[in-house]
Amino acid sequence: MTTIGAESLDPADWSGLRALGHRMIDDMFDHLQTLRDGPVWQPMPDPLRRELRQPLPRLPQTPESVYESFQRLVQPYATGNLHPRFMGWVHGGGNPIGMLAELLAGGLNANLGGRDHAPIEVERQVIAWAAEMLGFPTGASGVLVTGTSIANLIGVLVARSAMLGPGVRSDGVGGMRLVAYTSAAAHGCMPRAMEMSGLGRDALRMIPCDADGRMRLDLLGQALEADRAAGARPFLLIGTAGTVDIGAIDDLAALANVAAREGLWFHVDGAFGAVAALSPKLGPKLAGIDRADSVAFDFHKWAQVPYDAGCIVVRDSARQLETFGAEAAYLKRETRGLAAGGVWPCDLGPDLSRGFRALKVWMTLSVYGADRIGAIAEQTCALAAMLAARVDREPALQRLAPVALNIVCFRYIAATGDLDRLNADIVADLHESGIAAPSTTMAGGVLAIRVAIVNHRTEETDIAILVDAILATGHRRAR
Ligand SMILES: *Cc1c(COP(=O)(O)O)cnc(C)c1O
């Protein structure tokens, strides 16, 4: 008779899986080492997409054969953001220590919703480092989340309960007309956060920007006055440290003053820009961020931690706790045993079960040092300045926005034809060529080629290759 318990997923003989595991690590190191020689991106061929679509696999396959599928179907057709010439959107490049940390975290399979264990101490340490980076007082609270989109949502929710009191959790906002303010250049996740919080996107005033992409304080003042006169209740001012289109940084000190004077919660979306605080050269651009009530940012962009790793830090931990504190009987806290540990991460955000994201952040910062991350931010800004100078020298290129940090917006100019169409085609051609991957945006009403240099691997030669490819593609298409 067999005993019940034969269904464990651990292998009877570990040696084969161990060998495969070692091979996976070797293969992935090879991949990282030879990235630069391959295409930035290539589309996944349709036959392979079809091959991936299978009914629920009822029966087992060998790990070797499934790994072979990964290598053939998945790995060659990934996003491309590891590559030094991936310059689209705002994507971090990841790093090899972070990759290994993911393996270790997966091995431990820790649940960081709560309870008393070392992985949670690691996350508390990471949050304390984030607070230190921002110049926040010790005792600030925070949690790691998927990304800044969710971190911004948490910022809105904490601001809401700070204004209305924790009773809003049971009562809802009722007829209260809460209004928030941010710049017209704010990321699209900000209006979405207002939608998801139930306050509504129309309750977010998108204040126009000046020529440098910063929120206009005079118009902010007028909007506040008009809303108060109309009986609405301003509760939240959102500054942006590094706008998604051009990398502009609002005058955060001035916004902090407005928030203090008007009794508003001051939240900063510093998705990538907040990491500039790690650079002595760039840090001063963020002056005033240390006066924010909450800051949302990503470790997975400029800080080079592998996806995903967003972060929200709240100056006054009591405000975060009263927004999310969990009271269910099955989450009861004890003074000893595994259920001890006081405030748990599930008291600080909407997630209960959560993985060990903190480990890759902790290991990345520990191995490279925060100064090195700041130096990478500086390097990407220096490359952006170099690119801007080259664009300004090239008669066939026109720069479309000032360069505050690491983002350059420009376009190819031809004598005739639809320039928006031409520039969109140039970008798509570049993607398909595998040479480089910038993205597009609108700047001053026209379509811009947008180059955001985020990756630690990007070098001067990559900028030259990018520009040469844009010029060659433009000349070929405009001929
Ligand atoms: C990327 C970005 C976001 C969204 O962050 P995710 O990590 O993608 O959720 C928000 N704001 C700004 C300014 C960004 O650049």
Side-chain angles (χ1 to χ4, degrees):
M1 238 182 76
T2 55
T3 54
I4 299 175
E7 297 294 356
S8 167
L9 298 177
D10 290 337
D13 170 12
W14 285 87
S15 60
L17 191 56
R18 182 185 293 257
L20 177 64
H22 287 198
R23 184 151 68 81
M24 287 174 172
I25 289 183
D26 280 338
D27 291 347
M28 205 38 96
F29 275 118
D30 287 345
H31 181 59
L32 294 181
Q33 240 180 310
T34 55
L35 274 178
R36 178 174 276 289
D37 308 328
V40 177
W41 172 85
Q42 52 188 341
M44 187 178 185
D46 284 336
L48 299 188
R49 288 180 207 260
R50 279 195 296 277
E51 190 180 336
L52 200 58
R53 282 181 224 129
Q54 298 287 338
L56 178 67
R58 294 260 169 202
L59 298 175
Q61 302 156 64
T62 64
E64 287 78 6
S65 71
V66 177
Y67 178 52
E68 188 274 328
S69 298
F70 165 82
Q71 285 187 303
R72 206 167 41 79
L73 304 180
V74 182
Q75 185 179 315
Y77 311 105
T79 323
N81 55 316
L82 291 170
H83 197 286
R85 286 192 299 280
F86 185 100
M87 298 158 171
W89 304 276
V90 186
H91 277 37
N95 75 81
I97 291 295
M99 173 184 89
L100 295 173
E102 285 281 67
L103 175 73
L104 303 180
L108 284 186
N109 188 32
N111 183 338
L112 278 81
R115 293 152 290 271
D116 188 21
H117 52 91
I120 287 193
E121 287 301 335
V122 173
E123 180 158 342
R124 290 188 181 122
Q125 177 61 78
V126 164
I127 296 299
W129 286 343
E132 189 179 334
M133 174 183 94
L134 298 168
F136 271 29
T138 53
S141 57
V143 277
L144 296 181
V145 290
T146 42
T148 293
S149 302
I150 295 300
N152 279 332
L153 171 62
I154 291 175
V156 169
L157 295 173
V158 176
R160 183 204 60 176
S161 54
M163 179 58 65
L164 297 182
V168 68
R169 291 177 65 175
S170 46
D171 305 343
V173 294
M176 199 74 71
R177 287 171 54 212
L178 295 182
V179 251
Y181 304 81
T182 193
S183 96
H187 192 273
C189 68
M190 225 55 256
R192 275 167 58 87
M194 293 292 287
E195 289 172 16
M196 289 187 283
S197 66
L199 301 172
R201 63 188 304 147
D202 289 352
L204 179 64
R205 307 282 183 257
M206 311 283 291
I207 309 295
C209 297
D210 63 19
D212 289 327
R214 294 148 60 107
M215 194 194 309
R216 277 185 52 182
L217 295 166
D218 55 333
L219 298 180
L220 171 64
Q222 288 171 20
L224 276 160
E225 214 172 297
D227 281 325
R228 289 207 197 276
R233 185 142 169 211
F235 80 111
L236 168 63
L237 176 59
I238 303 151
T240 308
T243 59
V244 61
D245 278 333
I246 67 168
I249 301 171
D250 282 335
D251 184 343
L252 301 177
L255 293 186
N257 290 339
V258 173
R261 194 175 63 231
E262 300 275 343
L264 307 176
W265 183 271
F266 180 34
H267 174 80
V268 174
D269 174 356
F272 67 93
V275 171
L278 296 178
S279 149
K281 198 166 146 200
L282 303 175
K285 294 176 188 276
L286 302 176
I289 199 169
D290 55 325
R291 292 168 61 197
D293 293 301
S294 53
V295 177
F297 73 97
D298 282 320
F299 282 109
H300 61 216
K301 289 179 172 170
W302 237 2
Q304 314 294 332
V305 172
Y307 284 90
D308 48 24
C311 184
I312 174 82
V313 184
V314 179
R315 164 184 303 279
D316 180 353
S317 60
R319 298 285 87 80
Q320 192 173 9
L321 188 57
E322 76 190 13
T323 307
F324 295 105
E327 285 153 18
Y330 47 83
L331 297 176
K332 182 169 176 336
R333 309 307 143 83
E334 303 293 350
T335 53
R336 58 195 193 86
L338 182 52
V343 173
W344 291 353
C346 68
D347 296 315
L348 300 172
D351 294 314
L352 179 52
S353 294
R354 322 165 53 247
F356 195 3
R357 283 188 190 101
L359 188 63
K360 61 194 172 188
V361 183
W362 185 73
M363 289 188 73
T364 297
L365 289 173
S366 300
V367 167
Y368 302 108
D371 290 351
R372 180 83 176 278
I373 303 299
I376 291 167
E378 281 180 25
Q379 167 175 293
T380 62
C381 291
L383 290 168
M386 203 186 106
L387 170 58
R390 170 92 191 264
V391 167
D392 293 346
R393 277 198 310 275
E394 291 289 347
L397 301 178
Q398 176 193 24
R399 195 144 59 82
L400 294 170
V403 176
L405 292 170
N406 58 334
I407 301 176
V408 187
C409 291
F410 58 99
R411 65 175 176 169
Y412 181 88
I413 298 286
T416 54
D418 177 349
L419 287 185
D420 285 2
R421 186 68 261 150
L422 174 62
N423 280 276
D425 284 338
I426 290 173
V427 167
D429 286 352
L430 285 185
H431 292 179
E432 287 173 358
S433 73
I435 295 173
S439 56
T440 63
T441 190
M442 296 303 287
V446 302
L447 187 129
I449 300 175
R450 177 178 164 286
V451 175
I453 303 164
V454 185
N455 193 316
H456 57 97
R457 301 181 179 96
T458 308
E459 301 171 353
E460 287 190 27
T461 49
D462 296 308
I463 303 300
I465 293 169
L466 167 80
V467 178
D468 292 348
I470 289 172
L471 290 173
T473 313
H475 293 335
R476 183 167 45 74
R477 280 201 166 265
R479 210 174 33 221

